[in-house]
Amino acid sequence: MSDDIPPSTNAYKKSWFDKFNQLFQGEPQNREDLVDVISGAEQRDLITEDTREMIKGVLEVSDLRVRDIMIPRSQIVTLQIDCSVDELLETVISSAHSRFPVVNEDKDHIEGILLAKDLLKYGFKNSDVPFTLSQVIRPAVVVPESKRVDVLLKEFRSQRYHMAIVVDEYGGVSGLVTIEDILEEIVGEIEDEFDHSSVEDTEVKKISNTVFIVKALTEIDDFNEACGTHFSDEEFDTVGGLVSHAFGHLPERNETIMIDNIEFKVTNADTRRLIQLRVKLPEPDSLNHSDD
């Protein structure tokens, strides 16, 4: 049977086998040795830098617990179980997420998970059917903080879910974790259409005549040009710096502040920095009225 395989195919397979075999020559005795072998393989052009980083990411994930990568409780965007369709759509659009924990009263009472796509047929006056959020939410998956990340990734894949609620040892909600959070530990940051970025890496995205999605690192001059504002760049270089100073602290997601009659809402932030803002300019009528 092997005679039926073209010689070129045998050569191709042998070439990759030789490379793989060469990668692990030296019989590494521990993880540090293995990392050195992988780095050496990159230096010999057996693998690329990206491949080396992914292999290291896979090795590191096995040491992580869910608590190490979860989105903390304070930054979870939730929906109340008794919200109307219009209220739900406002949150869905402004946050630009695709999945939302649905709560009853507070974040310790999770009723389920809403997929944004399940809401669309009820919004924008597309349906006359009475709507209740409880009829479209899906069961929430709950995992402990101590769960190993590599085990959770396997469960995400085998059970075909993408988000889990994280609880502490007392059963209180401490955060949430998504499959994207795990993959980013392996391959680096993943940007998609919900990150409000594109190939051109747009820093200011116009949603309407008065609403913009703005990256916190946008320079103030660029922000002024895009939004028609007149903020000074003498004290701060970026919009994020301007907003953080106005708050007087590092704001969390969903915090809002008015600066010169312009509303700045934090739509994405971590424990160290602002990432993205939703900016709402005054309506033209209110500006004309104020000028009078």
Side-chain angles (χ1 to χ4, degrees), residues 47-213:
I47 60 174
T48 66
E49 180 182 358
D50 289 341
T51 302
R52 182 204 67 192
E53 289 301 315
M54 280 193 287
I55 295 173
K56 289 176 64 178
V58 170
L59 295 174
E60 290 168 359
V61 158
S62 63
D63 286 335
L64 295 175
R65 304 287 174 170
V66 169
R67 70 171 70 89
D68 299 319
I69 67 168
M70 69 181 186
I71 298 167
R73 176 190 175 106
S74 62
Q75 296 181 23
I76 300 177
V77 179
T78 60
L79 303 172
Q80 286 289 335
I81 189 70
D82 56 355
C83 282
S84 67
V85 174
D86 290 341
E87 291 171 330
L88 295 171
L89 284 172
E90 182 178 352
T91 301
V92 168
I93 293 171
S94 64
S95 66
H97 297 315
S98 57
R99 292 173 174 81
F100 299 84
V102 176
V103 304
N104 188 354
E105 296 182 3
D106 60 37
K107 293 177 181 178
D108 284 323
H109 297 83
I110 304 290
E111 299 291 330
I113 303 294
L114 173 70
L115 273 59
K117 65 180 183 179
D118 292 340
L119 187 65
L120 294 179
K121 65 180 179 180
Y122 298 98
F124 310 106
K125 300 181 180 179
N126 288 332
S127 174
D128 296 327
V129 178
F131 171 81
T132 57
L133 190 50
S134 58
Q135 72 192 43
V136 297
I137 60 176
R138 307 188 183 200
V141 176
V142 178
V143 299
E145 290 182 349
S146 58
K147 193 178 192 71
R148 281 175 43 183
V149 170
D150 56 344
V151 174
L152 180 59
L153 177 59
K154 185 179 295 185
E155 291 178 2
F156 274 148
R157 295 176 58 196
S158 63
Q159 300 179 29
R160 301 176 66 83
Y161 58 86
H162 290 219
M163 174 184 286
I165 304 299
V166 184
V167 295
D168 60 25
E169 59 184 312
Y170 303 106
V173 172
S174 56
L176 67 78
V177 62
T178 69
I179 192 170
E180 183 177 300
D181 296 325
I182 301 177
L183 294 178
E184 286 186 341
E185 293 294 325
I186 299 173
V187 302
E189 185 175 358
I190 301 171
E191 291 190 346
D192 56 25
E193 66 271 26
F194 300 112
D195 292 319
H196 299 288
S197 60
S198 63
V199 176
E200 295 78 20
D201 201 27
T202 305
E203 293 185 321
V204 180
K205 181 174 181 179
K206 185 175 182 179
I207 304 300
S208 69
N209 288 335
T210 59
V211 177
F212 298 82
I213 299 297

Side-chain angles (χ1 to χ4, degrees), residues 74-75 247 249-256 266-267 269 274:
S74 62
Q75 296 181 23
F247 272 107
H249 64 275
L250 181 61
E252 297 180 350
R253 183 178 290 173
N254 289 331
E255 286 196 62
T256 302
V266 179
T267 57
L274 290 180

Side-chain angles (χ1 to χ4, degrees), residues 230-287:
H230 304 283
F231 289 104
S232 170
D233 62 354
E234 291 184 2
E235 190 173 357
F236 308 103
D237 295 325
T238 66
V239 177
L242 171 72
V243 172
S244 295
H245 181 265
F247 272 107
H249 64 275
L250 181 61
E252 297 180 350
R253 183 178 290 173
N254 289 331
E255 286 196 62
T256 302
I257 194 169
M258 299 294 294
I259 306 175
D260 292 351
N261 207 31
I262 297 172
E263 179 185 275
F264 292 83
K265 180 178 181 179
V266 179
T267 57
N268 197 357
D270 58 26
T271 56
R272 297 168 296 160
R273 62 193 174 101
L274 290 180
I275 298 173
Q276 183 175 274
L277 301 157
R278 178 180 180 271
V279 178
K280 189 175 188 304
L281 305 179
E283 295 293 338
D285 290 345
S286 66
L287 287 175

